[in-house]
Amino acid sequence: MSYTLFDLSQSYVALFDSIDDPDITEQALQDTLEALDGAIEVKVSNGIGLIKSLQNLEDGISSEISRLAARKKTVQNRIQYIKDWYKQNLETMQTSKVQTPRGTMAIVKNPSSLVIDNPEDIPDQFKIPIPATFELDKSKIKDALKTGDLITGAHLEQGTSLRIR
């Protein structure tokens, strides 16, 4: 595959090429990373290149997903348009069914659907009570905890993350 944009050593290129193999376990990935030789600066430099190359691959996949989703929506719209066109024309011809060697096209009745004209007019026996809900104001809770207030059921945690610049 080798779509890396960064100058990686051969072992990192091989790792990049196998990274999206669903048969590679996280343990195998860990073992491969631990087996790579070199000074820490070289390993980190190659690791940064590997991560950035994978991020670029992820961006490309996301773009392709968006492009294919838009294409799928266009095809769905065309299918619906064509179905509506045939339905309208069959109704105009007062024909409800046409059989061909390829298949049958028929206009059939759908199950009846409920239309609510005015919800307030519906008797109570047909209403389901829903208890009032609430949402937590997380920013307000966080601010209170930062100022030293004790709030039962909440606390602040400080985590760490890896940043690449």
Side-chain angles (χ1 to χ4, degrees), residues 52-71:
K52 288 184 177 185
S53 293
L54 289 170
Q55 288 170 334
N56 288 333
L57 177 62
E58 178 187 24
D59 292 344
I61 290 170
S62 294
S63 294
E64 188 65 6
I65 287 170
S66 297
R67 186 187 70 77
L68 288 173
R71 185 173 177 201

Side-chain angles (χ1 to χ4, degrees), residues 11 25 27 33 50 56 60 82 97 110 122 125 131 140 150:
S11 55
T25 64
Q27 183 61 48
L33 287 168
L50 177 66
N56 288 333
I82 293 167
K97 186 176 185 179
N110 294 332
I122 304 291
Q125 71 188 53
K140 192 173 181 179
L150 292 176

Side-chain angles (χ1 to χ4, degrees), residues 134-161:
F134 62 90
E135 288 187 23
L136 298 175
D137 186 347
K138 292 181 181 180
S139 62
K140 192 173 181 179
I141 294 171
K142 186 176 180 180
D143 291 341
L145 288 170
K146 281 182 179 179
T147 61
D149 293 347
L150 292 176
I151 300 174
T152 305
H155 68 280
L156 294 175
E157 286 187 358
Q158 182 81 47
T160 61
S161 62

Side-chain angles (χ1 to χ4, degrees), residues 113-130:
S113 60
L114 175 64
V115 177
I116 304 292
D117 298 317
N118 191 354
E120 289 79 30
D121 292 342
I122 304 291
D124 287 344
Q125 71 188 53
F126 298 107
K127 296 178 182 176
I128 300 171
I130 299 174

